[in-house]
Amino acid sequence: MRTTRSTTRKSPVTALLTALATLLGIIVLGAVGPATAHAQSAGELATGLHISDGRLLEGNGNDFIMRGVNHAHTWYPGETQSLADIKALGANTVRVVLSDGHRWSENSPADVAAVVAQCKANRLICVLEVHDTTGYGEDAAAGTLDHAADYWIGLKDVLAGEENYVIINIGNEPWGNTNPEGWTAPTIAAVQKLRNAGFEHTIMVDAPNWGQDWQGVMRANAQSVYDADLTGNLIFSIHMYSVYNTAQKVTDYLHAFVDAGLPILIGEFGGPADQYGDPDEDTMMATAEQLRLGYLAWSWSGNTDPILDLAIDFDPSRLSSWGQRIFNGVNGIAQTSREATVYGGGNPGDTQAPSTAGTPTASAVAATSVTLTWTAATDNVGVTGYDIVRVSGGSETTVAASTTNTATVTGLTADTTYTFAVYARDAAGNRSARSATVSVTTDKGGSTPGAGCSVGYRVVGEWPDGFQGEITIRNTGATTINGWTLAFAFANGQTVTNMWGGSPTQNGGTVSVAPASYTSIIPAAGTVTVGFTAAKGSSNAAPTAFTLSGTNCTTA
């Protein structure tokens, strides 16, 4: 759920959360067969972006997989640079928050036209959503899907002809936890209202239960909703937060739609833990990549709960640990995003995979990292990047990505043997055969010595028996820090309960933090951020001293 500049999340009662796995396991989609064929699957209505055989395609038939983020435009209309910044970090899509005037100030046709123009100028696919519907039926301030549909009809002159570039997300999280079965009929009615008004765009519909569908209403009724749109140009959006705190919950939900031939994406998701649980964002991103589904992370900046800010204060040079995970982590945007071919990205006629890259060689082997280099692959059009995988028996895990023929793999364990290989990929998404492997044993030594550091510590939010903290580590030395251990002590019995950007070990008041894979490297003058929640008593004094790999840090 998202309210005004807020990331407050509605949580169902604990007993119902406990029953979620059972619910997701036993609720079946309304039909057991693949999605009913519509005219569009035969291509008659393939105007711009469209659905065919459960996939989102461009007008030319090229598969399009959304990789992007949400941006709170309606609350921050002056942050127009954000779209260019989001694109510069590799995204191919942005979901833009708008208001139909029911709850917040209405975004005018001129404003929406400007947003679409900015998306196009920055070569982004634009998902436009009305946020006023959030939590209808439970939140008395929420608007209806019917009112949102009328708003879209009022924008028809702005949106007509933009089917290659714009997806219409009728209403954000359009039902709360109260009687969520009421979601189905208004959703069908809103879709049909837009179709009767002549809209040919891909329409996106959000789930009830504040978008998380933990009671399975969208999952059970998806087929009937899809069948009600005679164009077949409809995609479902699930929002994944703390309800989806295990791999099984994530994979069960997404596979149910894919197995039924119904189109779906993760329209919002978070990774940092909150008081309701710890979302399994790694599985969300990995499964989306495996199933070739879109994902849109929440959110670029401006949250009142800043743990979900991807960029601090709308500054793309100050990515949070959550932002680093989304843009630069495994299965992240930099590694998996492909620009829409309508902007010239990719090559839909290219079906030839690159040649196999050379066998990697290892250098700069440290306790927690290793640098790999290989002979570059070739391609008939051009190699755009490489995926580096760790091989273990018959399985493999992607551990890094690179646009050149070298990469540093971080987050390793000391005195441990690893096996790595490389895949090459091109702009059309073709991937080479796997290279030969190289085995590397990391050093026995401890963490990389500190090269000068400063640490900033702050309490982001506090409640009677707990708080949320943030630690920013700055490398004040002249060389890159590659692998580190941060140590500090609490004086008032505080206990870390969850952490993102690092892995904590606590003994009494003493805390030791090892980096996540995406925070392990700190370039000279660079920073990384670790966030956490913790339990506390009546006092909550900040730690007074920090060491990084044994080196004393100054405090900022």
Side-chain angles (χ1 to χ4, degrees), residues 49 66 149 302 324 393 488:
L49 290 159
M66 285 183 266
Q324 290 287 357
F488 60 92

Side-chain angles (χ1 to χ4, degrees), residues 316-398:
S317 69
R318 299 172 60 203
L319 292 183
S320 66
S321 55
W322 173 227
Q324 290 287 357
R325 175 70 189 92
I326 289 298
F327 286 105
N328 300 319
V330 174
N331 296 312
I333 287 173
Q335 179 180 332
T336 65
S337 177
R338 305 287 182 270
E339 185 178 84
T341 60
V342 72
Y343 295 124
N347 186 344
D350 179 15
T351 59
Q352 181 175 325
S355 66
T356 305
T359 304
T361 59
S363 62
V365 180
T368 60
S369 64
V370 61
T371 297
L372 302 175
T373 306
W374 55 90
T375 301
T378 59
D379 184 66
N380 63 315
V381 176
V383 174
T384 58
Y386 298 88
D387 300 326
I388 298 88
V389 297
R390 185 176 71 235
V391 181
S392 178
S395 65
E396 59 183 42
T397 303
T398 303

Side-chain angles (χ1 to χ4, degrees), residues 452-528:
C453 53
S454 69
V455 173
Y457 178 95
R458 72 184 184 110
V459 173
V460 175
E462 195 165 359
W463 49 96
D465 59 353
F467 69 102
Q468 178 190 323
E470 182 179 88
I471 303 170
T472 301
I473 307 167
R474 177 176 293 277
N475 178 0
T476 60
T479 60
T480 296
I481 296 174
N482 194 336
W484 48 266
T485 300
L486 178 72
F488 60 92
F490 286 123
N492 304 127
Q494 301 97 318
T495 303
V496 176
T497 54
N498 284 293
M499 181 172 283
W500 49 98
S503 299
T505 301
Q506 185 163 355
N507 183 10
T510 302
V511 181
S512 177
V513 179
S517 60
Y518 52 93
T519 58
S520 181
I521 295 178
I522 314 177
T527 62
V528 296

